[in-house]
Amino acid sequence: MLINTNCTIFMPKKISEINNYIEIKGARVNNLKNVNINIPRDKLIVITGLSGSGKSSLAFDTIYAEGQRRYVESLSAYARQFLGRIKKPEVDYIRGIPPAIAIEQRVSTRNPRSTVGTSTEIYDYLKLLYARIGKTISPVSGNEVKKHQVQDVVDFIQKQEPGTLTLIMAPLETAPVSIMERRLQQFQREGFSRVEMFGKIQRIGDVDLSEATEDEISAKLALDRIQVPDKWEEDTLSRIADSVQSSFSESNGRCLIRSHINEKIISREFSNRFELDGMLFEEPNEHLFSFNNPVGACPTCEGFGKVIGIDEELVIPDKTLSIYEEAIACWKGEKMSEWKNRLIRNADKFDFPVHKPYFELTEDQKEVLWKGNRHFYGLNRFFKHLEDKKYKIQYRVMLSRYRGKTNCPECKGTRLNKEAGYVRVCNTMIQELVMMPIDELAAFLKNCEFSEREKKVAGRIIKEINSRVDFLLNVGLSYLTLNRLSSSLSGGESQRINLATSLGSSLVGSLYILDEPSIGLHSRDTQRLIHVLTKLKELGNSVVVVEHDEEIIRASDEFIDIGPDAGSNGGQVIFQGNPAKMNGDAGKSYTARYLNGDLSLQVPPKRRKWNHYIEIMGAVENNLKGINVKFPLNVLTVVTGVSGSGKSSLVKNILFPALLRKLSGAGERAGSFSVLQGDIKRLQNVEFVDQNPIGRSSRSNPVTYIKAYDEIRKLFASQKSAYYNNLKPSHFSFNVDGGRCEECLGEGVIHVEMQFMADVTLVCESCGGKRFKDEVLEVKFHKKSIFEVLEMTVDDAIEFFGSAKDKTAQKVTERLQPLANVGLGYITLGQSSSTLSGGESQRVKLATFLGRESPSEHRLFIFDEPTTGLHFHDIGKLLTAFHDLIERGHSVLVIEHNMEVIKSADWIIDLGPDGGKTGGNIVCEGTPEEVAAVKKSYTGQFLKAKL
């Protein structure tokens, strides 16, 4: 037997080895260039790379799309019809992919009933907790309301001293004499013999109703009489129990026990109804604590927490003023000031501080101001007076001036009816819990002492609540309350809440794909987020994170760098490996080179000095503590602080709307502050460059937004073939009739509505997805049609038009250059605006301002976290764009957590020291070097390592 020793025998991989990886071969989605990669399972994997390099294409459009598609395909045909049709990603094959869950940075709901508590399921468990172990407390006596059972009455009688004469009686409801007579006859027929009427016990047959002096009379039916024995027998106890049950039946749930002890008569009434002090209470159940259920919802606001009423913000616009300083806007003027004067004259009688600023008043003092007392009429009485006089037009106008969406006066914004407030756990209402910041709620639950019975009944519920609260703390959301609307959260906050919810569900064997979860998170809290991601992995899940944050990359088991550049120059796997074991082998990977220290963003050689500024004084919006802040002009200013410290409240809610109203006379109402002053006259306008989409239409794109497409249409209309066919610039537009395809109206696709199924998007058969008519597509500029130009990336288009000597082509290049300057050279000219991320939309707006001719007017540009979606390498381009704006005579103000931007600032305003109630103060102000020297500043601690 001959054996060929040169041949190689390939053994198949073990099943366990195959299952250890997600194996991808031939991924070609968007700009991915036939990517082959093995991604380890049950690990924390970070996918990084330049903006537009193909990270999201690999993570979401390939891995997640295929995971979702396979899951849907595994369902029954009946279930699939409700889930829609999921297109297979362009890839040869993917093996070893588990069920995929994507947690993206977008606010998932606009439902006004959705709150942090409901979306994290914490509120659902709180409802169960209160329904199971909640104690109902009477607001009259403060005693616990209990529903008595027959055994409770029997136990009470058994505890009496031997020899005590005890009567079991059924208190009858009052009734007219004629009805009572018929009832007594009925009782007599049923075998009852005695009744107490007119102060004495007598036989029913001996009752003389002619003694009745009132229209309605009452009676107590005597059911049994017993002398408490020395030793109880079973027959006696059984007889008592039957009598008690008869009493509950005959007297609508009540039973009266009258004991004669040493010539004293002691009466004790029991009830099997849930009542006390003459009040009938709702028995605790989960619906009583649900504001989405009519049983629990506040009847005034129907569970929304808001009503149209008198808006406190309009009545008291400047909360830094005292009552004496006319803080109450409606109590001004000769006639209306009498309401204020009455309060001031009588303030000493009930110790009201008329000289204290409104925001420093206690809740009780504010309540007195609104409700009034016997010494003065409050604001509620004042507006009731206006209501009564509203037949006069001046009073109607005055009322409308102070109306707005405000907290419901009945439930104080807690959404629940007052019945729910009678139920307590650890002597606390559920309404109080939902208004606590998460960190205070965690402390309350930790210090709450439960009895052994309560632990037995609700131990699992308490454990689930504590677990979910801890997850919210770990993802840096300690400052939120459970009552906070989901629609008011930022994209980063919404994503971290979804992450905490996923952790709470304790799924195992799943693939989690996250999109930059560190957005909006201060460097102080990043380690907490890493701990959460690690915990998710340790549960037995695979975690893939698209991220740029250095700390998260270093904490990963492996990171995958896509690149080397963006757009058509990206889409390749440049590096894959453990960040701790790179051994200096960075290759073309920008990420690896930044981690190694080969590349870095340099600190500016000098800081700009400033003399002019805008100042906000007395800022008290949300958690701001009446702070005074100067915002320098003609420099790069960065507002920093941990999440929830008050950055957005200061800049977005106060500075921007106040300045816009001052400069233009229009805009939304600003938050609470005292004075806006400074060099306002030096500014001609203020621009808030946010992350909202730049266009809602599917035909909107960045090139039309920056006005470059106008020049492109002119260029094509100037070609000879266009002239011969009488084609104008409008024929090269897909927004108007003329040259666009009439079948798809210039969209390139047709949306087919499917009954009972998801709509299907098909490529237009008339134009083949090219959006224009054939005669328009025949017009070429340098051998390229209008469709081919729209398919170019910005970088390719700049090179294409820049090589032409045509003046119009040069104008196109000039218009497109700002897009490349802000790091958007990878997007295509015809890309729909709806496909852009928030950070990309923000940078398109920045490019628009950079593309304008240098104006003589001075603007203040405000940016909210512009580094969203930006790689280290791209932040340098963004900073260059900021400096370009400043060199043109503008001012730039940025809300930011990224240390690379913070270290490049001319001036830093650091808020804190923490979030929520412990925030809202100025921790420090100054240059980055000055802030880095402040030990109590969290920003300074992390900044020190970067300088």
Side-chain angles (χ1 to χ4, degrees):
M1 182 177 176
L2 297 174
I3 298 176
N4 185 354
T5 56
N6 293 324
C7 73
T8 305
I9 301 174
F10 291 95
M11 298 295 292
K13 290 182 180 179
K14 294 179 182 178
I15 298 295
S16 59
E17 291 179 5
I18 295 173
N19 290 337
N20 284 339
Y21 292 92
I22 300 171
E23 188 178 352
I24 302 171
K25 185 172 183 180
R28 298 177 297 279
V29 177
N30 298 332
N31 66 333
L32 295 180
K33 294 185 172 60
N34 217 37
V35 168
N36 302 324
I37 190 170
N38 290 341
I39 300 176
R41 289 178 57 166
D42 303 329
K43 301 287 184 183
L44 173 57
I45 307 297
V46 171
I47 299 179
T48 187
L50 301 187
S51 304
S53 61
K55 305 182 299 297
S56 295
S57 296
L58 177 61
F60 291 97
D61 300 336
T62 303
I63 301 173
Y64 172 64
E66 180 64 8
Q68 278 292 92
R69 188 188 70 81
R70 290 189 186 181
Y71 174 70
V72 171
E73 291 294 326
S74 70
L75 300 176
S76 66
Y78 175 77
R80 288 204 305 273
Q81 70 176 343
F82 299 108
L83 293 171
R85 178 173 172 270
I86 299 180
K87 184 181 177 183
K88 188 180 188 303
E90 199 172 344
V91 60
D92 291 345
Y93 66 79
I94 301 179
R95 291 178 182 154
I97 188 168
I101 300 166
I103 305 177
E104 300 178 276
Q105 30 159 314
R106 60 166 63 107
V107 179
S108 56
T109 179
R110 295 290 174 188
N111 185 346
R113 290 186 179 274
S114 175
T115 65
V116 170
T118 57
S119 59
T120 57
E121 299 176 352
I122 293 175
Y123 192 71
D124 297 320
Y125 283 104
L126 280 177
K127 288 190 298 183
L128 283 174
L129 182 70
Y130 273 74
R132 298 290 180 270
I133 64 171
K135 296 177 180 177
T136 304
I137 307 298
S138 168
V140 178
S141 63
N143 295 326
E144 183 180 353
V145 183
K146 289 185 176 179
K147 183 178 180 180
H148 295 117
Q149 307 296 328
V150 172
Q151 190 60 46
D152 295 325
V153 186
V154 174
D155 291 344
F156 175 76
I157 295 173
Q158 275 188 283
K159 290 177 183 176
Q160 303 293 328
E161 292 184 9
T164 302
L165 183 64
T166 302
L167 291 176
I168 302 174
M169 310 178 80
L172 305 178
E173 293 182 1
T174 57
V177 175
S178 59
I179 293 177
M180 183 62 75
E181 185 176 11
R182 289 198 297 270
R183 289 179 67 183
L184 291 177
Q185 291 171 359
Q186 179 65 31
F187 286 137
Q188 195 171 21
R189 285 194 294 270
E190 291 174 358
F192 297 105
S193 59
R194 285 179 172 79
V195 68
E196 182 185 280
M197 293 189 71
F198 311 120
K200 59 184 179 181
I201 297 177
Q202 52 190 311
R203 289 182 177 277
I204 293 177
D206 297 338
V207 174
D208 183 6
L209 292 179
S210 62
E211 296 180 27
T213 57
E214 298 180 0
D215 294 336
E216 294 194 348
I217 56 176
S218 62
K220 296 180 180 68
L221 188 64
L223 299 172
D224 203 348
R225 180 174 62 180
I226 188 170
Q227 190 166 16
V228 177
D230 294 325
K231 184 178 180 182
W232 288 94
E233 295 180 0
E234 193 65 33
D235 290 346
T236 307
L237 292 174
S238 179
R239 190 186 97 194
I240 294 174
D242 289 342
S243 299
V244 172
Q245 185 62 56
S246 297
S247 177
F248 284 154
S249 301
E250 298 294 346
S251 60
N252 196 18
R254 292 188 295 165
C255 177
L256 178 66
I257 304 299
R258 183 176 292 168
S259 302
H260 296 259
I261 306 172
N262 299 328
E263 298 183 357
K264 288 184 180 180
I265 299 176
I266 299 175
S267 296
R268 170 78 185 274
E269 188 170 309
F270 294 85
S271 173
N272 69 356
R273 300 168 66 194
F274 204 63
E275 63 181 2
L276 187 67
D277 301 326
M279 293 177 63
L280 185 63
F281 295 86
E282 187 81 25
E283 290 190 52
N285 62 77
E286 54 267 34
H287 300 308
L288 179 62
F289 307 103
S290 172
F291 46 78
N292 291 325
N293 190 297
V295 175
C298 169
T300 303
C301 63
E302 298 180 342
F304 284 98
K306 298 279 185 181
V307 292
I308 299 298
I310 302 303
D311 189 349
E312 182 184 349
E313 299 295 329
L314 298 174
V315 176
I316 307 167
D318 186 354
K319 291 182 172 57
T320 60
L321 297 179
S322 66
I323 304 303
Y324 187 83
E325 295 168 327
E326 297 192 327
I328 302 174
C330 55
W331 283 358
K332 293 180 180 179
E334 185 178 348
K335 190 173 181 180
M336 298 304 176
S337 62
E338 183 53 38
W339 294 75
K340 179 194 77 173
N341 295 336
R342 184 165 185 169
L343 167 59
I344 293 172
R345 285 195 300 267
N346 295 287
D348 61 313
K349 296 176 182 176
F350 53 99
D351 197 26
F352 187 89
V354 293
H355 295 288
K356 184 181 283 190
Y358 181 82
F359 77 91
E360 291 183 7
L361 297 180
T362 65
E363 289 302 318
D364 290 339
Q365 289 168 343
K366 289 178 182 178
E367 189 172 352
V368 168
L369 180 62
W370 282 85
K371 290 186 175 180
N373 55 29
R374 61 192 178 90
H375 301 292
F376 86 107
Y377 298 130
L379 282 163
N380 291 343
R381 178 77 175 269
F382 171 76
F383 285 108
K384 177 69 170 59
H385 170 72
L386 295 186
E387 285 281 351
D388 295 339
K389 297 275 188 179
K390 69 179 182 182
Y391 57 85
K392 295 182 179 180
I393 190 166
Q394 63 266 36
Y395 290 108
R396 289 202 300 275
V397 170
M398 192 171 187
L399 268 173
S400 65
R401 192 179 299 162
Y402 299 106
R403 285 196 186 280
K405 190 175 283 189
T406 182
N407 272 354
C408 172
E410 183 71 22
C411 66
K412 303 291 189 293
T414 60
R415 303 162 172 254
L416 296 173
N417 65 24
K418 62 181 180 181
E419 291 283 341
Y422 299 147
V423 185
R424 310 289 178 95
V425 169
C426 292
N427 203 30
T428 307
M429 300 183 293
I430 194 171
Q431 289 96 322
E432 295 176 89
L433 294 188
V434 298
M435 302 302 286
M436 289 181 183
I438 299 296
D439 52 358
E440 288 185 23
L441 177 61
F444 168 82
L445 293 171
K446 185 178 180 181
N447 297 325
C448 201
E449 294 182 2
F450 296 100
S451 66
E452 289 303 317
R453 176 193 159 274
E454 289 172 337
K455 288 178 182 177
K456 189 174 181 180
V457 172
R460 181 60 188 270
I461 298 173
I462 297 166
K463 182 180 178 182
E464 292 289 345
I465 294 172
N466 283 323
S467 172
R468 282 164 168 76
V469 167
D470 287 342
F471 291 144
L472 287 178
L473 290 175
N474 289 336
V475 294
L477 297 175
S478 59
Y479 56 92
L480 294 181
T481 63
L482 296 183
N483 209 39
R484 173 82 174 265
L485 282 175
S486 297
S487 57
S488 68
L489 299 172
S490 69
E493 287 171 336
S494 182
Q495 188 182 25
R496 292 198 295 281
I497 278 180
N498 291 336
L499 177 58
T501 306
S502 297
L503 273 169
S505 65
S506 300
L507 285 178
V508 175
S510 300
L511 169 62
Y512 285 90
I513 304 176
L514 291 89
D515 186 11
E516 290 199 77
S518 67
I519 288 174
L521 204 60
H522 192 273
S523 299
R524 183 198 71 165
D525 298 318
T526 304
Q527 284 300 324
R528 287 182 177 180
L529 177 62
I530 292 170
H531 172 72
V532 170
L533 296 175
T534 306
K535 190 167 184 178
L536 197 60
K537 176 191 71 174
E538 289 171 352
L539 285 172
N541 299 293
S542 305
V543 183
V544 174
V545 184
V546 177
E547 187 56 85
H548 297 296
D549 185 87
E550 182 178 344
E551 286 185 72
I552 295 179
I553 295 173
R554 290 190 184 278
S556 65
D557 296 310
E558 278 192 13
F559 80 92
I560 300 166
D561 197 32
I562 307 294
D565 291 295
S568 58
N569 295 321
Q572 301 175 54
V573 177
I574 302 302
F575 184 93
Q576 180 179 8
N578 188 306
K581 300 176 181 177
M582 290 186 294
N583 297 324
D585 182 21
K588 296 180 180 179
S589 169
Y590 286 114
T591 305
R593 290 164 70 189
Y594 274 96
L595 294 178
N596 281 340
D598 295 342
L599 291 175
S600 64
L601 291 173
Q602 298 300 312
V603 176
K606 64 177 182 177
R607 311 291 180 186
R608 298 181 183 88
K609 302 294 183 183
W610 53 275
N611 298 313
H612 304 289
Y613 59 87
I614 304 294
E615 185 173 18
I616 291 285
M617 299 190 70
V620 291
E621 180 74 359
N622 294 332
N623 65 335
L624 296 176
K625 306 291 194 300
I627 57 177
N628 304 327
V629 190
K630 289 182 179 179
F631 298 94
L633 298 179
N634 300 112
V635 298
L636 174 58
T637 306
V638 178
V639 179
T640 68
V642 300
S643 304
S645 59
K647 303 183 297 298
S648 294
S649 297
L650 176 63
V651 177
K652 189 176 179 180
N653 299 346
I654 295 180
L655 176 65
F656 171 64
L659 203 52
L660 186 63
R661 277 198 168 191
K662 189 81 172 178
L663 296 173
S664 65
E668 295 181 2
R669 180 169 57 88
S672 300
F673 70 100
S674 178
V675 178
L676 172 66
Q677 61 185 23
D679 301 301
I680 302 173
K681 291 183 179 179
R682 299 185 68 87
L683 289 175
Q684 279 74 48
N685 208 343
V686 57
E687 302 280 354
F688 190 85
V689 189
D690 57 20
Q691 298 186 8
N692 291 335
I694 59 174
R696 295 180 180 178
S697 168
S698 58
R699 289 189 291 272
S700 169
N701 56 45
V703 188
T704 55
Y705 190 82
I706 64 169
K707 307 297 182 185
Y709 196 49
D710 295 342
E711 302 299 333
I712 293 173
R713 290 190 291 112
K714 287 179 188 175
L715 188 63
F716 274 89
S718 67
Q719 303 306 303
K720 287 184 179 179
S721 54
Y723 176 78
Y724 292 143
N725 289 310
N726 198 27
L727 297 178
K728 308 296 183 190
S730 61
H731 287 88
F732 296 91
S733 170
F734 40 72
N735 287 321
V736 295
D737 294 335
R740 70 180 183 182
C741 171
E742 297 301 331
E743 186 73 22
C744 62
L745 301 179
E747 290 197 39
V749 294
I750 293 175
H751 303 284
V752 182
E753 293 185 5
M754 303 291 286
Q755 195 171 11
F756 303 118
M757 294 182 69
D759 295 348
V760 176
T761 301
L762 302 172
V763 175
C764 175
E765 293 182 1
S766 180
C767 65
K770 295 187 176 180
R771 311 173 79 166
F772 293 95
K773 295 177 180 176
D774 289 340
E775 59 266 28
V776 174
L777 294 170
E778 287 172 1
V779 178
K780 302 287 180 73
F781 176 76
H782 285 227
K783 300 181 180 180
K784 298 285 186 183
S785 68
I786 185 72
F787 170 72
E788 290 171 317
V789 167
L790 290 174
E791 289 295 293
M792 290 181 181
T793 64
V794 170
D795 287 337
D796 292 340
I798 290 173
E799 185 178 345
F800 173 73
F801 288 109
S803 61
K805 296 180 180 179
D806 190 282
K807 288 185 179 179
T808 308
Q810 295 302 318
K811 282 188 177 181
V812 174
T813 305
E814 291 172 9
R815 292 281 173 91
L816 293 176
Q817 190 59 49
L819 284 176
N821 292 345
V822 296
L824 293 176
Y826 58 88
I827 63 175
T828 59
L829 302 191
Q831 185 171 337
S832 174
S833 298
S834 61
T835 64
L836 299 177
S837 68
E840 288 170 335
S841 297
Q842 191 177 33
R843 292 195 292 281
V844 169
K845 295 172 187 176
L846 173 58
T848 306
F849 295 118
L850 289 172
R852 293 175 182 170
E853 294 298 322
S854 182
S856 57
E857 65 178 21
H858 176 191
R859 298 188 181 205
L860 171 62
F861 289 94
I862 301 174
F863 294 86
D864 187 6
E865 295 199 63
T867 59
T868 299
L870 280 185
H871 188 269
F872 309 113
H873 198 62
D874 295 317
I875 291 174
K877 295 180 181 179
L878 179 70
L879 289 171
T880 302
F882 286 162
H883 294 313
D884 190 10
L885 283 175
I886 295 169
E887 292 303 314
R888 295 186 185 192
H890 300 300
S891 303
V892 177
L893 174 63
V894 181
I895 303 171
E896 190 54 81
H897 293 294
N898 187 283
M899 288 297 155
E900 303 296 339
V901 173
I902 295 172
K903 77 178 185 183
S904 303
D906 300 305
W907 192 256
I908 295 173
I909 301 167
D910 190 35
L911 299 183
D914 287 288
K917 290 183 179 179
T918 53
N921 294 300
I922 296 178
V923 178
C924 56
E925 298 174 279
T927 63
E929 288 77 15
E930 291 169 344
V931 171
V934 179
K935 292 183 180 179
K936 64 179 181 180
S937 167
Y938 290 117
T939 303
Q941 293 173 19
F942 289 93
L943 188 58
K944 189 182 294 184
K946 292 289 183 180
L947 296 174

